Amino acid sequence: MELFKGKDEYGDSLKILLEQLWEYQEAEANLMVEIATIHYENGDTDNTIGFLEKSVEIYHELGFDEQEATIHDLIGDVYRNIDDISNALEHYYKSLKISSNLKIALETEVLAKIEECEAQQEKIDDKKVNKTVPMGLKVSDESSEPEESIDYIKLGKRLDDIIVLLDESAVYGTYQKYENPMFHLEEAYQMASSIDDKKGEAALLLIMGDVSLKAEKTKKALDFFHKSLNFFQRIGDKKGESISLLLMGTAYFLLGELNEGSNHLRQSMDIIKGLNDPVLEKAALELLNSIYD
């Protein structure tokens, strides 16, 4: 190849190629912002945040500080519009740090947003302090969401203990590092579907349900668990089936549908006992104790 003919030629060619690569990367980042805009207009905030996160990674790699600050500000706006004040503040702070170093007009705008969000967060924290809510589920209508608050942090730990026992648990840790794991999980699910990896699809659906449940999107989580159960039953994976039933039962309890919850939990424990898996049985019992506590 001509590229390797001589040291000087190599240096010139490398410089040209790197410049082309940077141009492609910048174009890719700009395109991701445009795609994110379309998703936002369609009301799809998960994909909006996912594409914006990808674009901000590229801008950071390229050293385009102003664009990076702008995208962090945009991500903050998206989170704020869905009332996720904690994540909104995280991105506003990142934007403020960069914009203040650059001394650009964005600094003043972001600072104002931070002050508004901090005031809003303070009100939310005050309400949480004033609420002394037990873990018990007290509902007036079995088809509705519980009126009482649930300790989703405590429950989330029990869910994690269950999910990591999947044969495909290695994939679980991969998505824990992402701020918006759902976007990346959906991409992985599409890939698994394209290669007809039924076990991978089942595991990813279960993880998506887990992420949704911990985000207090219980009905959405239940839908993921139900689809996961169908996959595990079709491929004859009893361990996956038992975990799907276990998490479905948990979701039904959180929705106040106690009979459905008990039925699914019973089915799950019957399968688990037949698996002779003491680790899974212990984790399942700890989850049940946290539900009935």
Side-chain angles (χ1 to χ4, degrees):
M1 293 176 62
E2 291 188 5
L3 182 64
F4 298 103
K5 280 187 175 179
K7 184 177 179 181
D8 293 337
E9 275 190 71
Y10 177 82
D12 292 340
S13 299
L14 180 59
K15 181 180 179 183
I16 292 170
L17 288 173
L18 285 173
E19 288 174 352
Q20 289 178 343
L21 177 61
W22 293 330
E23 288 174 3
Y24 288 139
Q25 286 180 306
E26 182 182 5
E28 182 184 9
N30 293 340
L31 185 59
M32 285 180 179
V33 174
E34 291 182 20
I35 294 172
T37 302
I38 294 171
H39 278 302
Y40 186 74
E41 290 172 352
N42 291 333
D44 186 347
T45 54
D46 281 339
N47 275 320
T48 300
I49 294 169
F51 278 103
L52 288 176
E53 284 179 342
K54 282 190 170 184
S55 70
V56 85
E57 288 175 5
I58 297 173
Y59 286 135
H60 178 75
E61 183 180 343
L62 292 172
F64 290 7
D65 294 340
E66 187 168 348
Q67 288 90 334
E68 184 181 353
T70 300
I71 300 303
H72 277 304
D73 177 46
L74 283 175
I75 297 174
D77 289 345
V78 176
Y79 274 122
R80 189 179 180 188
N81 286 338
I82 58 174
D83 296 323
D84 189 341
I85 305 303
S86 178
N87 276 320
L89 278 169
E90 182 179 342
H91 284 279
Y92 286 147
Y93 286 134
K94 289 178 180 178
S95 180
L96 179 64
K97 182 178 179 180
I98 299 169
S99 57
S100 61
N101 287 335
L102 295 174
K103 300 190 183 305
I104 55 177
L106 182 62
E107 177 185 0
T108 304
E109 183 180 338
V110 174
L111 189 57
K113 292 178 183 179
I114 288 174
E115 290 174 354
E116 292 170 3
C117 285
E118 285 180 338
Q120 191 174 346
Q121 185 68 57
E122 190 174 342
K123 290 180 181 179
I124 293 171
D125 292 341
D126 287 343
K127 286 181 181 179
K128 286 181 179 178
V129 170
N130 293 331
K131 275 190 174 182
T132 54
V133 182
M135 182 66 181
L137 303 173
K138 298 179 182 179
V139 292
S140 57
D141 183 355
E142 284 194 353
S143 64
S144 64
E145 294 273 3
E147 293 178 2
E148 304 282 3
S149 294
I150 305 299
D151 188 346
Y152 279 86
I153 296 175
K154 180 180 178 182
L155 183 62
K157 176 63 172 65
R158 301 302 183 201
L159 293 172
D160 289 344
D161 292 341
I162 297 292
I163 295 291
V164 297
L165 297 177
L166 276 173
D167 294 335
E168 301 76 17
S169 62
V171 74
Y172 183 62
T174 303
Y175 296 99
Q176 292 289 71
K177 65 181 182 181
Y178 292 115
E179 188 175 325
N180 180 37
M182 191 62 75
F183 173 79
H184 301 280
L185 284 164
E186 287 173 352
E187 279 193 330
Y189 177 78
Q190 290 173 9
M191 177 64 72
S193 180
S194 70
I195 62 175
D196 200 31
D197 178 9
K198 300 299 182 189
K199 197 164 188 176
E201 288 180 83
L204 288 163
L205 284 166
L206 203 62
I207 296 169
M208 285 191 274
D210 174 58
V211 170
S212 298
L213 194 62
K214 287 192 287 189
E216 304 183 31
K217 298 176 181 178
T218 312
K219 290 181 179 178
K220 186 175 181 180
L222 185 59
D223 183 53
F224 282 126
F225 294 147
H226 184 74
K227 290 176 180 176
S228 176
L229 175 65
N230 289 338
F231 273 108
F232 281 126
Q233 287 177 330
R234 270 190 278 169
I235 62 178
D237 186 327
K238 287 296 182 182
K239 188 174 186 178
E241 182 181 348
S242 68
I243 292 175
S244 295
L245 285 166
L246 186 65
L247 299 191
M248 285 178 74
T250 303
Y252 276 122
F253 261 91
L254 295 177
L255 290 169
E257 299 182 31
L258 308 186
N259 290 334
E260 282 291 337
S262 295
N263 183 42
H264 282 80
L265 293 174
R266 254 194 318 270
Q267 291 180 55
S268 173
M269 292 307 298
D270 286 343
I271 296 173
I272 290 173
K273 287 175 183 177
L275 293 174
N276 193 27
D277 187 334
V279 177
L280 175 57
E281 186 170 356
K282 180 184 177 184
L285 289 171
E286 288 177 351
L287 175 61
L288 294 181
N289 288 335
S290 70
I291 294 171
Y292 288 106
D293 185 10

